[in-house]
Amino acid sequence: TLASGASINAAFGSVAAIPTNHYARIGDGPVILIPENSFFELNRALDVLREFHLFDTGNGPVARVEFAWIRPNKETGAPEESIPVTIELQEDGHYQMTQPMSCPVNMDRVGRFIVEMGTETCKGFVDAPESLADYGLEPPNARVSLWTQKDGPAQVAYFGAKEGKGEEARINRPGST
């Protein structure tokens, strides 16, 4: 569907006489040939076409990262966050822990963590779960927030239960598509 609201309907036929092409027709237009690789790209599973990175870190440095555990309150049982661990990029280009205390950090580890957050891929999307509790996300176990700009919006991911032994964590990105 285009931004104008119009949609394009394309129909694909069998492989053409030239084995590197497919017959195709856009709407009611003429029959045309398209390259095999174009057909392959259009014929992918929808999950492959989605934004599948956990965070969009862009090309520049990450301004701030925050991690917090989420555990039940000992008295009320209500979920509450721990004091977040916050790491921020300083003017000199080095990262520094700013919360719960101010101190230098291991730049190699912080750098690897940020790269992992930007390159980690998601799979097995559940668009409209009936209950987040089914995925260990009601309440979640932890929260990671990432800012690519000092005063910009945070990207947030909540981590829940794992699928099974050695499996991937369940993650909820509010507002993600």
Side-chain angles (χ1 to χ4, degrees):
T1 304
L2 304 174
S4 67
S7 62
I8 297 174
N9 295 318
F12 297 93
S14 61
V15 177
I18 304 168
T20 58
N21 294 300
H22 273 263
Y23 290 112
R25 185 175 185 200
I26 299 175
D28 294 329
V31 173
I32 58 175
L33 288 173
I34 65 163
E36 178 83 23
N37 60 342
S38 295
F39 173 77
F40 174 75
E41 291 298 320
L42 293 169
N43 194 36
R44 289 180 181 251
L46 291 178
D47 282 351
V48 174
L49 299 175
R50 298 178 81 144
E51 174 53 52
F52 58 92
H53 287 101
L54 183 56
F55 290 107
D56 179 6
T57 56
N59 295 327
V62 170
R64 178 178 170 188
V65 178
E66 195 172 271
F67 174 87
W69 289 108
I70 301 172
R71 300 287 187 240
N73 179 291
K74 290 178 183 176
E75 295 174 10
T76 66
E80 70 180 18
E81 283 194 4
S82 66
I83 296 172
V85 175
T86 305
I87 298 170
E88 295 185 59
L89 184 63
Q90 303 300 301
E91 296 284 329
D92 65 2
H94 289 87
Y95 286 98
Q96 172 127 355
M97 182 184 299
T98 58
Q99 193 175 331
M101 61 185 177
S102 182
C103 67
V105 296
N106 181 316
M107 289 293 291
D108 290 336
R109 283 191 176 171
V110 169
R112 282 194 307 266
F113 177 76
I114 289 171
V115 167
E116 284 180 26
M117 292 295 103
T119 58
E120 188 64 40
T121 56
C122 302
K123 60 184 179 181
F125 299 90
V126 179
D127 289 319
E130 289 183 26
S131 168
L132 291 175
D134 294 342
Y135 304 97
L137 289 161
E138 181 104 10
N141 294 328
R143 173 186 58 82
V144 173
S145 299
L146 183 140
W147 289 259
T148 55
Q149 299 172 7
K150 186 176 183 175
D151 297 321
Q155 298 175 58
V156 180
Y158 292 98
F159 291 78
K162 291 186 174 186
E163 285 184 320
K165 188 172 182 153
E167 294 294 323
E168 304 294 321
R170 305 286 188 150
I171 299 170
N172 180 22
R173 277 187 4 194
S176 67
T177 56

